[in-house]
Amino acid sequence: MNPEINVMYEKMKARLEKVVPDVELRYKAELAVEINALKKEKNAVILGHNYMEPALYYSIPDFVGDSLELSRKAAQTDKDVIVFCGVKFMAETAKILNPTKTVLLPSERAGCSLAASITTEDVRSLREQYPGAPVVTYVNTYADVKAESDICCTSGNAVEVVNSLKSDTIIFLPDEYLGSNVAHETGRRFLLPGAPLSANEKVLIGWRGRCEVHEKFTVQDITTVRSQFPDVAILAHPECSPEVTGASDFSGSTGAMIKYVRETIAPQYLLLTECSMGDNIAAENPEKDMLRLCMVRCPHMNTITMEDTLNALKYNRYVVEVPEDVRLRAERAVRRMIGIG
Ligand code: 13P
Ligand code: SF4
């Protein structure tokens, strides 16, 4: 074996031998060495979301993290090329922050059900319905929708972003469940458009977008798992329904969930989120017992493979573009968010 590949294989094995079969590690170590060489040649940085599959996650990204952490890294990079191992709205955010750099998304199919749930016309019509109400958009939206908003947020800072706004009425788009969870945490009532408002009431006006992964978890799932593992610590992403987050022990962004497992001791952990992250956490915490509930997977994140990442660097694809007028308006909302936390 080429010595460089051997070093990579040993490094991956040290982290992943209990999670990824050896035959896959050998194959992916070769790919990783090729990707990392091209990355250097092209002066590229690879950003990897926490949902990336374990072999990719532990071999090629320069930085891994949740949407907020990766937006910050994208804002700070001095590399010429950013390869985003995540989904389109994340790569667009990197482009919004780096107009002169090349941003590549390894798969053309890496969308998001939340980003697809709302259009610019929807936002404009909500502004007409609620004049003067600030618009907060979740980063899980496309650039044109971000451009219509006052400030963005991620699941990692949504509460701080909402609390930074003084208005009684705030429009919060497009995730209905994240909106309900944030309303609960900020002492506001959550309403869908058209519901009657009471005078002087603090409300969050939401939208009917849903994450096709997190909407599938139910309280019944939690009850069933707890009957088998009574002391299990259950962590739910805030894109889960308020009933599910309410029945869980912890709710937070993917980065916050990783930190929770790292810093606590429980007999078992169950993550109500994309299943690959459970593998990544299990690899980092071999002494902890991670239960996996892998019946739902994100079909978008799962399109990002190491083979496609190699081809992205080889063939300069798929280039993410945002029209300059849209980018400038979206940048205001994204930078305002980064300024808050
Ligand atoms: P995080 O910001 O928590 O990483 O979430 C991104 C996402 O798409 C969750 O489904
Ligand atoms: Fe979008 Fe849900 Fe996939 Fe995250 S897990 S990228 S919110 S569809």
Side-chain angles (χ1 to χ4, degrees), residues 34-47 60-63 73 77-84 101-104 309-310 312-314 316-317:
E34 212 182 331
I35 292 168
N36 287 341
L38 260 183
K39 179 170 73 173
K40 209 164 158 198
E41 188 187 312
K42 306 250 165 147
N43 194 29
V45 62
I46 298 184
L47 304 180
I60 56 169
D62 299 282
F63 301 101
K73 293 298 177 199
T77 188
D78 58 358
K79 300 287 185 193
D80 297 326
V81 179
I82 300 170
V83 181
F84 218 116
K101 298 187 198 299
T102 300
V103 177
L104 302 176
T309 307
L310 176 64
L313 280 161
K314 246 189 208 168
N316 206 42
R317 73 187 194 199

Side-chain angles (χ1 to χ4, degrees), residues 159-179:
V159 168
E160 288 80 359
V161 167
V162 166
N163 282 337
S164 75
L165 302 169
K166 298 292 164 257
S167 174
D168 281 351
T169 305
I170 295 174
I171 300 170
F172 187 98
L173 308 170
D175 186 352
E176 179 178 350
Y177 287 160
L178 179 67

Side-chain angles (χ1 to χ4, degrees), residues 51 87 112-114 140 211-214 239 298 300-301:
Y51 287 165
V87 289
C112 170
S113 66
L114 280 170
N140 297 37
C211 162
E212 66 193 274
V213 177
H214 293 98
E239 290 168 9
C298 175
H300 310 286
M301 291 280 183

Side-chain angles (χ1 to χ4, degrees), residues 205-269:
I205 308 291
W207 191 247
R208 285 195 182 77
R210 300 267 184 92
C211 162
E212 66 193 274
V213 177
H214 293 98
E215 72 170 348
K216 299 220 172 71
F217 297 113
T218 64
V219 174
Q220 185 57 50
D221 295 333
I222 294 180
T223 311
T224 308
V225 173
R226 283 205 202 280
S227 68
Q228 201 182 347
F229 303 98
D231 297 319
V232 61
I234 299 186
L235 288 66
H237 194 276
E239 290 168 9
C240 294
S241 74
E243 293 75 22
V244 166
T245 57
S248 302
D249 298 293
F250 177 79
S251 176
S253 72
T254 56
M257 286 195 251
I258 290 172
K259 191 161 178 275
Y260 183 95
V261 176
R262 198 179 281 150
E263 294 177 358
T264 60
I265 296 171
Q268 301 88 20
Y269 293 89

